[in-house]
Amino acid sequence: MTAFRALLIAMLAVLTFYTAIVIAHDGINFFPAFNADLRAMAWPGQFNVDFSCFLLLSALWVAWRHHFSALGLVLSVVAFFGGFGFLGIYLLIASFQEQGDIKAVLLGRRRAQG
């Protein structure tokens, strides 16, 4: 679990650094670039579609982990739009809340216990 947490922290640090540079260069509104890549029907757009599928899967998992409760649905929206910036922090917090029990981290406490 220590290695997993270290990996999450390292990935979050890299993402934060990279994002700060991109925002300084291009601003905070990424939708025009994202949509332009989609309209171009080239590899950057294909990557965006692929990545969006991962974001949707992440959002569905977060909602499912919380049994589609109101909190789970709110968190799933944040997961979709927040990407790894959200998911990395979410997994890091969950790893401490579940005291390193990966089954509970992945399934949620209720499913992991029975």
Side-chain angles (χ1 to χ4, degrees), residues 7-77:
L7 176 64
L8 290 174
I9 291 167
M11 291 167 64
L12 284 164
V14 168
L15 179 64
T16 300
F17 177 74
Y18 195 93
T19 302
I21 292 171
V22 171
I23 289 172
H25 183 263
D26 292 334
I28 198 158
N29 187 3
F30 66 89
F31 288 112
F34 183 88
N35 292 329
D37 285 343
L38 290 178
R39 285 191 304 275
M41 297 297 287
W43 283 115
Q46 187 278 341
F47 178 84
N48 289 350
V49 171
D50 187 301
F51 180 61
S52 295
C53 291
F54 277 106
L55 289 173
L56 180 58
L57 189 60
S58 167
L60 286 171
W61 172 73
V62 169
W64 174 83
R65 186 176 183 273
H66 289 271
H67 305 276
F68 295 95
S69 65
L71 174 62
L73 295 174
V74 169
L75 289 174
S76 73
V77 171

Side-chain angles (χ1 to χ4, degrees), residues 14 17-18 24 27 43 58 73 81 85-87 96-97 107 112-113:
V14 168
F17 177 74
Y18 195 93
W43 283 115
S58 167
L73 295 174
F81 289 105
F86 166 81
L87 192 62
F96 284 105
Q97 286 177 335
L107 299 176
Q113 291 175 348

